[in-house]
Amino acid sequence: MQQSERLIEFKKSVNNKFNVYNSLFLNLPYRNIENVGMLIPLLLDQCQKGLAAGLNPQEILEAFFQNFANIESEKERIDFMFRIIQYVERQVVLYDSVEDAAFPKLQTHRRSLSIKDYFELVDKNKSWDKVSKKLSTFSARIVLTAHPTQFYTPAILDIIADLRSLILEDRIDEIDVTLQQLGLTSLINAKKPTPLDEAKNIIYILRHIYYDAVGDLYAYIKENIHKDDFENHNIVKLGFWPGGDRDGNPFVTADITKDVADELRINLMKCYYNDLKRIQKKLTFKDVQEPIRQLRGNLYTAMFDTKKTVKFEDILEPLLTIRALLVEKYHSIYLKELDHYIDKVKIFKTHFTTLDIRQDHSKHKMVVETILKKNNLIKEHLDELSEDELVNILINTKITLNADDYDEDIVKDTIVNISQLEGIQATNGEEGCNRYIISNSEDIFSVLFVYGLFRWCGWDNKAITFDIIPLFETMKGMDGSEETMRILFDLPEYRQHLARRGDKQTIMLGFSDGTKDGGYLRANWSILKTKESLSKICSNNGVSAIFFDGRGGPPARGGGKTHRFYAAQTKGIANNEIQLTIQGQTITSTYGTKEHFIHNCEQLMTAGLSNNLFGKENVISSAHRKLIEELSDLSFEKYDALKKHEMFIPYLENRSTLKFYQKANIGSRPGKRGNKKQLELTDLRAISFVGSWSQLKQNVPGYFGIGTAINTLKQQGRLKEIKKLYKEVPFFKALMLNSMMSLSKCYFELTSYMKEDEKYGAFWQILHDEFELSKKMLLTISGSKVLMENEAVSRESIKIRESIVLPLLVIQQYALQKIGQKTEHDALYEKIVTRSLYGNINASRNSA
């Protein structure tokens, strides 16, 4: 019933409104675009009919140009396609705005548990003691990344926010003007953004949405938790990767890291200053004027001068003085407003969000090798040392590093950066930057190289106030992770470091590269088993395991329904804290409004709490484990064969948009690691890898191998076992539902012309056959008639989004066909392909 009510509301508040406002696009002030709005519905119809009839994109568009648009010259056709792309990009912005505006109404028909619902359940069960105790220590850390799938400029984000507000009030005349503004405002970066540009874009969201959203969520919990002394200001923590994430991004330097730390602090001071101004208008009492005046002056100075910083204590103490005066002299008037402000200061302190440092293990190895060679501890390579000798050097040998002593840029920058981290902690507080993540961790040296570098960069005689976080992202890394952590825990020096860090070990496990490496089911099953084994070894060593998950993108990069993911964790997995990344356009689509942010934070909390306090704990029986293992092996076997197919890399290079990701001004990061002439799968960044399959509407990493795995057991007469597994094991069900989402966004008709391709036809057929088989098998085990059967609103939203961008995708494929035919306009067709990436990425919202 709830689903049908929600669908009715969706059709009324989203579908109908979008259709009404979309009609305003007919008058958008584009140059030479008078007929584009009128022709879009006709083009969509021709694309749908043509693809269904088996026509290829070139046949569809050439017929359209001749029969409907009356455009003869190739140059005019190219100009027209660019205008279509512009038009579709703005349709996506409008649809996003309409859907976001409808979010609060749709939530009244939700099935998910809000904090308010949860508290009502607690009240009914009389379990406030347990819940308040858990919430007093519970923490969810949301880490914002700069992965290159986010490209809206602040100007466009402002327009989206304005549209959202106007749509809520149905102010059609002002919507019309705002759409005209949108038509004249560029949606894309004129040049490739720098890491600092990326950071500023996301800091804009921090300042204008998250600052108030986190504060309001905390205030609601504090007011309703039935605990007078509740004070857990870490209940929602924010993390930040732009400016600190060096993995595969040579443009992130020590200077960039310092600049971003300053930007975070300065923007927080602006938030504090504006809040204080509002409060000052109410606190008009004589005795509070001086402390307010002094604090306001200090904040104002710190807003503009990076060298003038205000310490946390110097912000908090005047506020506590003002509070005491309100209670003692002024009848506690406006005390609630002041307490709300004080709580925000206690939440954000002077850092706003924790700036994480991340680098690839191979870079640290190169740096350490260069340093040891310079200090005559090796001749050429680390292999000259035994493991024990290298460990001893990293833990005990004294080396003093000076960046000027080295010629290599990576060595210089690593030394400068680690040396400056203590200074960032001095200005932003320890929480401003206290985590160092190592990508592609595969052994103890992933952690010990960083430990040694900190010692040599000036931290030798004092505590290293950093969590060193291994990221086990490959199959090899995950397989060896238990042994890696066991050896580290056995090292007295590292164990002492952990003791100083509160006996907590944060560990990140790889979704993106894990899926690329092992396929969807194998990667996710490996992650769950690895979490269980690491939880156990941490517990045995008196260490609290904290898992940091790479999520917030498509299922193939660890995304999907977050609440479902955490609620499906088994009882053998440590649940001390939830930490996850939010990637790319998911920052704006899932956490981009105050309502969205609060809702998704609540989902994290209720998932974490439900796992502990309500319902039975998730246990996967040995029989079910054996079955998942079989399915995992079969799925991997199929995926691995695809990876090794001689056409796998050539297909991506020559029949997808892979190489065009690098040309798009979306993100600062290069599209692949290294500079090898011959492209290898290991060099590909997961985003361009997964994104290229998404642009093709084939979404291979989100399901490939699952259909074959299930069908193999079905042929053995074991279908009943898999149906039982789907019904009884939330973890397996969550994975299958995510795969159904990936499958629902596939549209092989777009590329069906490739089956006739002499070189790639057989490879395309392999992909299509597995798509059809996976769809059939997942519908069979779930008992569903259609994909995402119980998610009618999401299904409808995907359907609308896919129809909006279909003309754009047909144009993209047409351009790829023309490039393959080598015309005099190849450069322009390449620009069409590159430009067409943007609208599709945004329409997908999680790029798969």
Side-chain angles (χ1 to χ4, degrees), residues 84-148:
I84 292 285
I85 291 168
Q86 282 184 305
Y87 191 98
V88 169
E89 285 171 346
R90 286 157 176 79
Q91 280 186 303
V92 172
V93 171
L94 174 60
Y95 186 77
D96 283 348
S97 303
V98 172
E99 196 168 65
D100 289 347
F103 183 78
K105 281 188 178 179
L106 291 172
Q107 284 308 99
T108 61
H109 305 289
R110 66 180 176 264
R111 289 182 296 169
S112 55
L113 217 57
S114 69
I115 282 289
K116 183 182 177 185
D117 299 330
Y118 195 85
F119 283 174
E120 286 173 2
L121 185 61
V122 173
D123 214 29
K124 186 178 175 184
N125 291 342
K126 309 294 181 193
S127 51
W128 276 111
D129 286 347
K130 284 167 71 177
V131 170
S132 61
K133 184 180 177 183
K134 179 65 181 173
L135 276 177
S136 293
T137 59
F138 181 83
S139 182
R141 183 189 293 260
I142 297 164
V143 180
L144 309 169
T145 78
H147 288 62

Side-chain angles (χ1 to χ4, degrees), residues 761-774:
F763 186 79
W764 183 92
Q765 197 63 53
I766 291 170
L767 303 178
H768 184 249
D769 289 348
E770 186 63 20
F771 160 75
E772 292 289 358
L773 185 59
S774 296

Side-chain angles (χ1 to χ4, degrees), residues 340-617:
H340 183 40
Y341 181 40
I342 290 171
D343 280 329
K344 284 200 272 190
V345 170
K346 288 181 177 179
I347 290 167
F348 298 112
K349 297 187 175 69
T350 52
H351 63 280
F352 213 162
T353 172
T354 301
L355 177 60
D356 287 349
I357 308 298
R358 184 170 79 128
Q359 180 59 288
D360 190 85
H361 171 51
S362 63
K363 300 297 183 186
H364 295 139
K365 183 177 180 181
M366 189 190 310
V367 172
V368 169
E369 193 166 64
T370 305
I371 291 168
L372 296 191
K373 187 177 173 184
K374 180 85 172 175
N375 285 271
N376 299 314
L377 292 164
I378 57 172
K379 289 180 180 178
E380 291 293 336
H381 303 295
L382 292 177
D383 295 346
E384 298 162 25
L385 300 168
S386 68
E387 184 172 302
D388 288 344
E389 287 171 334
L390 183 53
V391 168
N392 182 56
I393 288 171
L394 294 165
I395 286 176
N396 296 313
T397 300
K398 291 195 173 188
I399 297 174
T400 301
L401 293 179
N402 185 336
D404 293 334
D405 293 340
Y406 296 88
D407 299 324
E408 300 83 355
D409 288 342
I410 183 68
V411 180
K412 281 177 174 288
D413 192 73
T414 301
I415 294 169
V416 172
N417 185 55
I418 294 177
S419 300
Q420 77 174 355
L421 296 179
E422 193 174 3
I424 291 175
Q425 289 189 347
T427 57
N428 290 31
E430 187 191 308
E431 289 174 75
C433 188
N434 63 359
R435 289 153 47 99
Y436 200 118
I437 300 152
I438 308 104
S439 306
N440 280 308
S441 293
E442 292 189 345
D443 56 34
I444 60 169
F445 295 108
S446 57
V447 169
L448 292 183
F449 284 159
V450 173
Y451 183 86
L453 286 166
F454 266 86
R455 288 184 56 245
W456 302 334
C457 286
W459 300 66
D460 190 30
N461 297 317
K462 51 185 176 284
I464 297 171
T465 51
F466 264 75
D467 296 331
I468 303 174
I469 303 171
L471 165 49
F472 301 111
E473 50 191 324
T474 62
M475 292 295 109
K476 180 183 175 185
M478 282 189 278
D479 289 344
S481 61
E482 185 179 355
E483 179 68 3
T484 295
M485 297 315 299
R486 184 192 65 74
I487 297 170
L488 285 170
F489 292 155
D490 284 345
L491 288 171
E493 293 83 359
Y494 187 71
R495 192 63 190 80
Q496 287 163 17
H497 167 69
L498 284 184
R500 290 192 292 265
R501 301 302 295 160
D503 284 320
K504 293 178 180 178
Q505 174 67 62
T506 303
I507 301 168
M508 194 172 184
L509 296 170
F511 283 87
S512 298
D513 284 293
T515 302
K516 189 183 75 176
D517 189 26
Y520 184 65
L521 184 55
R522 165 65 71 87
N524 280 278
W525 177 233
S526 295
I527 287 166
L528 183 125
K529 290 189 298 178
T530 302
K531 278 187 173 181
E532 289 176 333
S533 65
L534 290 174
S535 296
K536 190 173 180 181
I537 195 165
C538 286
S539 178
N540 290 344
N541 282 274
V543 174
S544 296
I546 297 172
F547 293 110
F548 180 19
D549 297 310
R551 295 187 59 77
R557 289 208 327 273
K561 301 288 184 180
T562 300
H563 179 274
R564 188 188 287 155
F565 169 79
Y566 283 110
Q569 301 292 285
T570 62
K571 73 169 188 176
I573 293 174
N575 188 29
N576 299 302
E577 186 174 322
I578 284 177
Q579 296 190 4
L580 72 162
T581 60
I582 302 299
Q583 301 173 359
Q585 77 272 33
T586 315
I587 292 172
T588 47
S589 66
T590 312
Y591 290 82
T593 68
K594 190 174 176 181
E595 294 82 6
H596 271 109
F597 181 89
I598 289 175
H599 167 74
N600 283 293
C601 285
E602 288 180 345
Q603 292 299 287
L604 290 177
M605 288 181 201
T606 57
L609 293 171
S610 300
N611 231 357
N612 283 61
L613 303 172
F614 291 119
K616 63 179 183 179
E617 291 182 310

